Amino acid sequence: MVSDVSTRELTCKHMSHPIVHIYRTVQSHKPHFLAVHCQEVGGKNYEASMSHVDCFVKELLSSDAMKEYNRARIYLDENYKSQEQFTALGSFYFIHESLKNIHQFDFKAKKFKKVVGKETCSETLESTPALEKEKFPQDYFPESKWSRKGFIRTRWVLADCAFDLVNIHLFHDASNLVAWEKSPSVYSGTRQKALGYVLDRITDQRYEKVPYFVFGDFNFRLDSKQVIESLCSTATMQTVRAADTNEVDKLIFRESDNDRKVVLQLEKKLFNYVNQDVFRENNGTSLLEFDKELSLFKDRLHELEISFPPSYPYSEDSSQGKQYMNTRCPAWCDRILMSPSARDLVLKPENEERAIVYDNIGPNVCMGDHKPVFLSFRITAGAGKPNANKHKCCVVQ
């Protein structure tokens, strides 16, 4: 089971409820290999909250739900004092006791080593041989201002099959008003450049090329201009400008009749649409036509069919598990993507379709502003051989 869990705030207090639903997903699918990728480790107030992360890790390693996972590798980028390197990424890998043989790649020695015991690494990830970690070059950041964006790569051999797992966090939309200005938005271009950088790095000539899974918070957004034009197709637009700068401060879309009812108010950090049900009905799939950012990488990245609602931005009110905040247009930010060779691995003929699940976690409860997503599938040892063993993998974002 490979899972991509976009778990935003790893503090014991914040995670005590959502973690139960992650445990339930693990117990339901019973993976032999579990990968969990997190972004924003320590939360938005990481300087004050980072100390709680250790508590979370101890809870995870000692919980009854995880007691059959006798090997673990946990990598936490907690070095917030180094702005040039800090990504706040966390990668968690758990191996079930029934899985006898699994190896992890040493990027320094350029060879695989057998995984034994449980290890947690949170210092100087840059020099940790079991992974590659990079923050994006400064000129990739909007206005060249540092933020917690980058990737971590690990490499594994399971069932005679080598593959990379890449934890990724791409740039967000800073302003709804700027995102609306053109199609595709300037933010989409920034994410395209950063994702291309990651794919080029993990497929360069330094190491043998293997299938790869990239999962994390891609911050992919619906094409803002097109989706607003669709949602407000019969509305008229009013532009409100700031008195001091004359810059656009607010856009108000009103129905032409019906007492000129407000359909949408759009500000820098406000997306207040009159009918949130459109993002939930039939899992919001009618809006997938506006989800276009992945199409630029159609030859390098694949995704299974999405059958869950947009993963962001959910209310952080514990009583509003299905409600979106009125801050951004809901979008599928959290994804599990794979190379063509990784897709072939997941979709092997011997993999019954029902053995593959791509879904979210905790659909009806508060899991934070991002709803975690996961992919569960089987890898067949010695695929094509008689009586081949099947190992269940789960990745969570």
Side-chain angles (χ1 to χ4, degrees):
M1 176 181 186
V2 181
S3 303
D4 173 29
V5 178
S6 277
T7 306
R8 306 294 294 186
E9 305 217 1
L10 289 186
T11 68
C12 292
K13 181 180 178 182
H14 186 82
M15 288 297 297
S16 59
H17 178 61
I19 197 74
V20 170
H21 299 278
I22 295 175
Y23 288 157
R24 287 176 182 170
T25 302
V26 172
Q27 291 168 332
S28 173
H29 292 272
K30 296 180 171 57
H32 297 106
F33 181 75
L34 170 66
V36 181
H37 285 177
C38 302
Q39 300 77 44
E40 301 286 16
V41 167
K44 296 177 178 67
N45 300 315
Y46 49 85
E47 292 187 30
S49 302
M50 198 63 80
S51 60
H52 296 295
V53 176
D54 291 339
C55 169
F56 171 80
V57 171
K58 288 176 182 176
E59 147 68 20
L60 202 56
L61 291 174
S62 62
S63 67
D64 284 344
M66 304 297 290
K67 64 184 179 183
E68 294 180 359
Y69 293 85
N70 62 352
R71 286 151 292 170
R73 292 292 182 271
I74 298 175
Y75 305 107
L76 303 167
D77 187 2
E78 299 179 325
N79 187 17
Y80 58 82
K81 293 181 180 178
S82 175
Q83 284 302 305
E84 295 81 8
Q85 296 179 326
F86 181 49
T87 63
L89 294 172
S91 298
F92 300 70
Y93 306 102
F94 302 92
I95 298 101
H96 194 271
E97 60 191 11
S98 64
L99 185 57
K100 302 304 180 188
N101 210 15
I102 184 167
H103 292 74
Q104 185 179 8
F105 192 64
D106 183 315
F107 286 93
K108 298 282 193 303
K110 294 190 176 182
K111 64 181 181 181
F112 286 94
K113 297 181 178 180
K114 189 170 184 178
V115 178
V116 295
K118 299 178 180 180
E119 296 179 4
T120 300
C121 181
S122 59
E123 298 293 331
T124 60
L125 292 190
E126 293 76 24
S127 59
T128 301
L131 59 82
E132 280 197 322
K133 190 204 90 171
E134 285 191 44
K135 192 164 185 168
F136 293 116
Q138 189 167 9
D139 60 355
Y140 278 58
F141 288 79
E143 300 176 359
S144 293
K145 292 181 180 178
W146 286 120
S147 62
R148 303 175 296 281
K149 304 296 188 292
F151 71 95
I152 290 178
R153 164 165 73 152
T154 57
R155 177 170 290 191
W156 307 83
V157 164
L158 168 65
D160 300 321
C161 177
F163 53 87
D164 283 349
L165 300 179
V166 182
N167 187 354
I168 192 169
H169 193 184
L170 298 182
F171 305 102
H172 68 287
D173 282 16
S175 168
N176 293 325
L177 294 170
V178 173
W180 144 265
E181 288 175 355
K182 65 177 185 176
S183 169
S185 78
V186 62
Y187 303 120
S188 173
T190 302
R191 286 188 287 272
Q192 176 187 356
K193 181 180 177 183
L195 181 53
Y197 176 87
V198 173
L199 297 181
D200 289 345
R201 288 292 286 161
I202 66 174
T203 59
D204 62 18
Q205 301 301 316
R206 294 172 301 143
Y207 305 101
E208 180 184 357
K209 294 182 182 180
V210 300
Y212 53 84
F213 297 86
V214 186
F215 49 109
D217 180 4
F218 292 83
N219 263 313
F220 288 162
R221 307 301 170 100
L222 303 184
D223 187 300
S224 186
K225 190 167 186 63
Q226 291 187 6
V227 76
I228 289 174
E229 288 174 348
S230 174
L231 293 174
C232 305
S233 59
T234 61
T236 57
M237 186 182 77
Q238 174 189 354
T239 302
V240 180
R241 295 182 179 273
D244 52 347
T245 64
N246 202 39
E247 292 183 356
V248 176
D249 195 46
K250 181 188 301 185
L251 299 177
I252 303 174
F253 296 82
R254 299 178 184 273
E255 292 186 7
S256 301
D257 46 22
N258 194 23
D259 296 327
R260 291 187 53 76
K261 179 181 177 182
V262 174
V263 178
L264 171 69
Q265 287 191 69
L266 193 72
E267 299 177 19
K268 179 179 180 179
K269 294 187 177 181
L270 177 71
F271 185 95
N272 193 0
Y273 184 62
V274 67
N275 179 24
Q276 275 201 8
D277 286 342
V278 71
F279 302 106
R280 290 186 289 259
E281 289 173 354
N282 196 28
N283 292 319
T285 49
S286 64
L287 298 171
L288 278 170
E289 65 175 294
F290 304 109
D291 179 72
K292 300 180 175 182
E293 294 192 35
L294 187 56
S295 64
L296 298 166
F297 298 92
K298 62 181 184 298
D299 296 329
R300 305 176 75 182
L301 287 171
H302 296 277
E303 182 176 27
L304 301 188
E305 182 178 352
I306 290 177
S307 58
F308 48 86
S311 65
Y312 172 84
Y314 279 93
S315 170
E316 294 182 286
D317 182 333
S318 61
S319 66
Q320 301 288 331
K322 299 179 73 171
Q323 186 77 13
Y324 289 105
M325 289 190 286
N326 292 326
T327 52
R328 308 288 185 189
C329 178
W332 288 272
C333 292
D334 306 282
R335 317 281 277 262
I336 299 172
L337 310 180
M338 61 200 81
S339 65
S341 55
R343 180 190 59 177
D344 293 343
L345 191 68
V346 171
L347 299 179
K348 279 187 179 297
E350 60 267 23
N351 251 346
E352 307 89 357
E353 187 173 334
R354 58 186 165 78
I356 304 172
V357 181
Y358 186 30
D359 205 351
N360 65 10
I361 297 175
N364 301 314
V365 299
C366 178
M367 300 289 290
D369 58 347
H370 287 248
K371 196 78 76 175
V373 302
F374 76 96
L375 171 65
S376 178
F377 64 93
R378 297 179 187 274
I379 291 179
T380 302
K385 297 178 182 178
N387 304 315
N389 292 323
K390 292 182 179 179
H391 298 297
K392 198 165 189 180
C393 299
C394 182
V395 293
V396 182
Q397 161 50 36

